[in-house]
């Protein structure tokens, strides 16, 4: 029991200084904010990011999308399932490597992305205005990912 105050003091220090905790809390708050903004379009903030990652001249491989989103391929595959059921994406065998899969936006997926993008622009501008130097934060976050 004599160690309890020291242990609690360490907990408070971690609560107040842990970059991982603060990044997770901020990510959750931003996700909730964008989830609410995207609700009228039937997608979440994560699905918006995924759809945007698929918006390329040629359908990307699941591995390429996973790399872009800093996710593992199995997580990307699981996150594609509801979008595929909703008719927003198609998943097909990669003609160059039959072991792989390529993912493409459907016309409906492009339409949802087209309608949701102005909402992202508005919300993103509001967030950057609220936090101040968005470029510095973006740079720091990008450095943390590599």
């Amino acid at each position: 029991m004599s160690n309890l105050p020291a242990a609690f003091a360490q907990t408070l220090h971690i609560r107040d200084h842990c970059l991982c905790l603060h990044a997770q809390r901020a990510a959750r708050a931003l996700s909730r904010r964008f989830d609410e903004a995207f609700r009228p379009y039937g997608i979440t903030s994560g699905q918006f990011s995924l759809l945007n990652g698929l918006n390329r001249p040629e359908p990307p491989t699941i591995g390429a999308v996973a790399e872009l989103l800093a996710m593992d391929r199995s997580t990307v595959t699981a996150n594609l399932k509801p979008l595929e059921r909703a008719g927003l994406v198609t998943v097909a065998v990669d003609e160059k490597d039959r072991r792989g899969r390529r993912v493409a936006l459907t016309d409906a997926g492009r339409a949802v992305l087209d309608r949701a993008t102005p909402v992202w622009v508005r919300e993103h501008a509001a967030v950057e205005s609220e936090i101040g130097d968005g470029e510095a934060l973006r740079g720091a976050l990008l450095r943390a990912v590599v």
Side-chain angles (χ1 to χ4, degrees):
M1 283 292 200
S2 64
N3 194 18
L4 190 57
F8 186 61
Q10 185 65 41
T11 295
L12 294 178
H13 177 80
I14 291 169
R15 177 199 67 193
D16 295 342
H17 295 91
C18 180
L19 294 173
C20 186
L21 172 63
H22 288 286
Q24 289 170 333
R25 291 182 72 205
R28 289 182 191 112
L30 286 170
S31 289
R32 283 191 299 272
R33 179 180 185 150
F34 281 89
D35 284 350
E36 188 58 36
F38 292 138
R39 187 180 313 277
Y41 307 98
I43 60 171
T44 66
S45 59
Q47 290 170 328
F48 177 81
S49 294
L50 186 49
L51 291 171
N52 203 57
L54 299 174
N55 193 25
R56 305 177 189 199
E58 296 295 322
T61 63
I62 290 176
V65 176
E67 184 177 330
L68 171 73
L69 299 176
M71 301 167 81
D72 60 68
R73 290 198 301 246
S74 62
T75 302
V76 171
T77 299
N79 287 330
L80 286 169
K81 299 265 186 235
L83 295 174
E84 192 174 20
R85 284 192 299 270
L88 303 180
V89 303
T90 59
V91 180
V93 172
D94 185 347
E95 293 299 321
K96 295 176 187 166
D97 179 356
R98 303 211 39 88
R99 297 169 297 172
R101 301 285 178 266
R102 291 197 174 260
V103 189
L105 290 173
T106 63
D107 289 342
R110 264 190 264 310
V112 167
L113 191 57
D114 287 347
R115 289 192 308 271
T117 297
V119 172
W120 177 87
V121 169
R122 183 188 71 234
E123 286 299 316
H124 192 267
V127 168
E128 285 213 18
S129 172
E130 292 164 15
I131 64 171
D133 191 351
E135 196 60 40
L137 177 57
R138 195 170 14 266
L141 292 170
L142 285 170
R143 285 189 303 277
V145 172
V146 289

